[in-house]
């Protein structure tokens, strides 16, 4: 679970040296500890291997916190008569079934495949595992705290959050084991303490996390289907796990859909429409800009980056339209044209950052580019939206989306 929001800084380019996290974060860079699993030959080498500074940039997966007192009030059955406890209980049974309890079992294929990946593609896989692990771990932390804080107010909802944190921890651990195939590992305990936490009000948590889980589903299932049809690109076995894995994302999204239905004030007025479009724009644009900086990864598994992203955006938007009161018109060719224009502007911003100019000159050169990027974002946001959503759609039924 990771949703990227802020968009007005250039996305950090992938470097050939130290692995780089990327997602939105303002302020100073924070070192994130990476541990090498290979044995150093000297004490000095061991110290160097134990810590690797990873810069936080525009697209580093965020860690979230929220107003837990407001959350408790929202899920208090005495205060909120809109809560459909029978729907939450049905969802709880889905999570208790734990379909993936025995799914994430590694085998010797992982290390063997990792040893065959070298050059730039190896570095790209390391970054993919780092980013994915951090995103899943951020979800674990948020869901775990919500499960703890809501235990007295609404035990059913609290238990669902706890079980979702179970899923996210399982995903993060599996990804971290993948890093061990490349002789690395994220120090998640250090990460918990070192990271700053982004505050979002509860309704923003609902919008952002719903989108994050649903877009995660469509990314995973699309990659899985592609590699099933094109096994020659199956260069690392983690993708074989994506079919079941994405169903965890789908269930999480269904739960947040139920949470939104239980809070109709987040869905039924003009402000809800504006916020829904804002979060759609933030998530879609950030994914597109982010992935266009990592085309080598998608090419490495036989995908065209932009085609992949547009497929994911369109399918996510169609799913989101079932609950959000308004969504972007992403199937309008103008939407993609503006996305591609933003990619061009972002590349120019990156080029400015790589020049030998002094910081003052760089900042002056960035001003018109940032203004141009902001203009494209605003123009995209102001495109005629698609009116959608209904808090009265069919009651929850356990299902698989294929």
């Amino acid at each position: 679970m990771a949703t990227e929001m802020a968009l007005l800084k250039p996305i950090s380019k992938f470097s050939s040296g130290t692995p780089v996290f990327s997602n939105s974060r303002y302020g100073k860079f924070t070192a994130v500890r990476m541990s090498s699993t290979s044995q150093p030959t000297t004490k000095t080498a061991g110290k160097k291997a134990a810590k690797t500074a990873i810069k936080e940039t525009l697209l580093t997966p965020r860690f979230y916190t929220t107003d837990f007192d407001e959350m408790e009030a929202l899920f208090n059955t005495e205060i909120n008569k809109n809560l459909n406890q029978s729907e939450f209980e049905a969802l709880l049974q889905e999570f208790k079934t734990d379909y993936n309890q025995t799914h994430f079992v590694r085998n010797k294929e992982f290390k063997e495949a990792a040893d065959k990946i070298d050059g730039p593609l190896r570095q790209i896989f390391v970054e993919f595992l780092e980013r994915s692990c951090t995103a899943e771990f951020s979800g674990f932390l948020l869901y775990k705290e919500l499960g703890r804080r809501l235990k007295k107010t609404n035990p059913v909802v609290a238990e669902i959050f706890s079980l979702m944190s179970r899923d996210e921890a399982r995903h993060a651990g599996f990804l971290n084991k993948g890093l061990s195939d490349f002789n690395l590992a994220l120090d998640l305990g250090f990460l918990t303490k070192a990271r700053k936490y982004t505050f979002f009000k509860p309704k923003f948590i609902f919008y952002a996390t719903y989108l994050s889980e649903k877009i995660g589903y469509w990314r995973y299932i699309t990659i899985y289907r592609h590699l099933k049809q094109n096994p020659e690109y199956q260069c690392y076995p983690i993708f074989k796990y994506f079919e079941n894995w994405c169903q965890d994302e789908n269930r999480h999204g269904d739960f947040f859909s139920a949470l939104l239905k239980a809070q109709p004030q987040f869905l039924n007025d003009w402000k809800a429409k504006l916020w829904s479009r804002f979060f759609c724009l933030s998530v879609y644009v950030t994914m597109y800009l982010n992935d266009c900086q990592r085309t080598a990864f998608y090419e490495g598994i036989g995908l065209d980056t932009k085609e992949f992203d547009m497929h994911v955006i369109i399918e996510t938007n169609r799913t989101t339209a079932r609950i959000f009161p308004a969504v972007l018109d992403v199937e309008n060719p103008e939407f993609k044209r503006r996305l591609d224009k933003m990619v061009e502007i972002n590349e120019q911003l990156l080029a400015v950052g790589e020049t030998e100019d002094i910081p003052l000159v760089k900042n002056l050169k960035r001003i018109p580019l940032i203004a141009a990027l902001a203009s494209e974002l605003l123009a995209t946001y102001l495109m005629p939206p698609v009116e959608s959503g209904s808090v009265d759609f069919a009651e929850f039924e356990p299902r698989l989306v294929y």
Side-chain angles (χ1 to χ4, degrees), residues 147 291 321 387:
D291 286 352
E387 299 290 328

Side-chain angles (χ1 to χ4, degrees), residues 27-40:
K28 297 179 180 178
F29 286 140
T30 303
V32 179
R33 186 160 62 187
M34 288 287 292
S35 299
S36 170
T37 59
S38 58
Q39 294 297 319

Side-chain angles (χ1 to χ4, degrees), residues 106-164:
R106 287 165 50 85
N107 54 48
K108 64 179 183 179
E109 281 186 67
F110 282 81
K111 182 61 176 172
E112 292 174 354
D115 289 342
K116 294 176 183 177
I117 301 173
D118 54 18
L121 187 59
R122 184 178 181 86
Q123 183 64 32
I124 290 165
F125 263 85
V126 167
E127 187 191 44
F128 162 74
L129 292 168
E130 289 172 352
R131 289 172 50 76
S132 300
C133 181
T134 305
E136 298 286 352
F137 189 66
S138 72
F140 157 73
L141 292 174
L142 176 64
Y143 297 159
K144 181 182 179 182
E145 184 62 14
L146 284 167
R148 186 181 71 82
R149 293 292 294 265
L150 297 174
K151 193 171 291 185
K152 292 182 180 179
T153 305
N154 194 318
V156 173
V157 170
E159 189 172 359
I160 294 174
F161 273 119
S162 295
L163 293 174
M164 289 203 305

Side-chain angles (χ1 to χ4, degrees), residues 4 66 82 106-107 112 116 175 328 347 360:
E4 299 91 351
T66 190
N82 292 311
R106 287 165 50 85
N107 54 48
E112 292 174 354
K116 294 176 183 177
L175 288 158
L328 301 175
E347 288 173 350
L360 176 61

Side-chain angles (χ1 to χ4, degrees), residues 90-330:
L91 280 160
L92 177 58
Q93 293 308 311
E94 276 283 289
F95 283 100
K96 280 185 174 180
T97 303
D98 196 6
Y99 298 103
N100 288 332
Q101 183 176 12
T102 60
H103 179 60
F104 296 97
V105 179
R106 287 165 50 85
N107 54 48
K108 64 179 183 179
E109 281 186 67
F110 282 81
K111 182 61 176 172
E112 292 174 354
D115 289 342
K116 294 176 183 177
I117 301 173
D118 54 18
L121 187 59
R122 184 178 181 86
Q123 183 64 32
I124 290 165
F125 263 85
V126 167
E127 187 191 44
F128 162 74
L129 292 168
E130 289 172 352
R131 289 172 50 76
S132 300
C133 181
T134 305
E136 298 286 352
F137 189 66
S138 72
F140 157 73
L141 292 174
L142 176 64
Y143 297 159
K144 181 182 179 182
E145 184 62 14
L146 284 167
R148 186 181 71 82
R149 293 292 294 265
L150 297 174
K151 193 171 291 185
K152 292 182 180 179
T153 305
N154 194 318
V156 173
V157 170
E159 189 172 359
I160 294 174
F161 273 119
S162 295
L163 293 174
M164 289 203 305
S165 75
R166 170 206 67 194
D167 294 343
E168 301 287 318
R170 187 179 286 158
H171 300 166
F174 193 65
L175 288 158
N176 212 7
K177 286 286 184 67
L179 279 168
S180 70
D181 298 325
F182 296 85
N183 300 320
L184 292 167
L186 271 174
D187 187 336
L188 298 178
F190 176 81
L191 194 63
T192 305
K193 298 175 183 177
R195 289 301 275 284
K196 294 178 182 178
Y197 287 71
T198 299
F199 178 85
F200 265 11
K201 289 177 67 65
K203 69 176 180 180
F204 300 152
I205 289 286
F206 294 164
Y207 293 139
T209 310
Y210 173 83
L211 276 167
S212 175
E213 299 289 0
K214 287 300 184 181
I215 208 166
Y217 167 82
W218 283 110
R219 286 175 68 86
Y220 284 173
I221 196 62
T222 302
I223 291 173
Y224 173 82
R225 289 170 176 168
H226 162 72
L227 293 176
K228 188 174 182 180
Q229 294 173 359
N230 303 276
E232 67 273 19
Y233 290 106
Q234 187 74 257
C235 53
Y236 188 63
I238 199 167
F239 303 116
K240 296 178 181 179
Y241 292 74
F242 275 14
E243 183 181 32
N244 287 41
W245 189 331
C246 73
Q247 294 305 330
D248 284 343
E249 310 292 327
N250 199 41
R251 278 185 285 273
H252 295 182
D254 286 342
F255 173 58
F256 276 96
S257 176
L259 295 184
L260 282 164
K261 285 196 296 176
Q263 310 296 336
Q265 71 275 21
F266 297 161
L267 296 173
N268 61 8
D269 62 14
W270 63 271
K271 289 184 290 185
K273 291 183 178 182
L274 293 178
W275 281 119
S276 294
R277 288 161 56 198
F278 169 79
F279 278 93
C280 285
L281 178 69
S282 299
V283 171
Y284 300 161
V285 171
T286 306
M287 183 186 77
Y288 199 82
L289 296 182
N290 183 14
D291 286 352
C292 283
Q293 290 300 315
R294 293 162 178 81
T295 55
F297 172 79
Y298 298 97
E299 290 171 358
I301 58 174
L303 285 168
D304 178 282
T305 306
K306 291 184 177 181
E307 288 183 6
F308 167 74
D309 273 15
M310 283 308 302
H311 171 76
V312 169
I313 288 170
I314 289 169
E315 293 298 341
T316 301
N317 204 58
R318 289 173 178 172
T319 302
T320 301
R322 295 168 52 202
I323 182 68
F324 279 21
V327 293
L328 301 175
D329 187 6
V330 301

Side-chain angles (χ1 to χ4, degrees), residues 331-367:
E331 297 182 58
N332 183 334
E334 182 70 6
F335 178 79
K336 184 177 185 302
R337 189 194 70 77
R338 292 195 178 279
L339 285 183
D340 289 335
K341 181 62 176 177
M342 289 181 222
V343 171
E344 291 177 14
I345 297 169
N346 188 66
E347 288 173 350
Q348 293 174 51
L349 280 165
L350 291 170
V352 169
E354 292 172 356
T355 64
E356 299 297 326
D357 295 332
I358 62 173
L360 176 61
V361 173
K362 287 184 178 182
N363 288 335
L364 289 173
K365 288 182 177 180
R366 287 184 179 117
I367 291 172

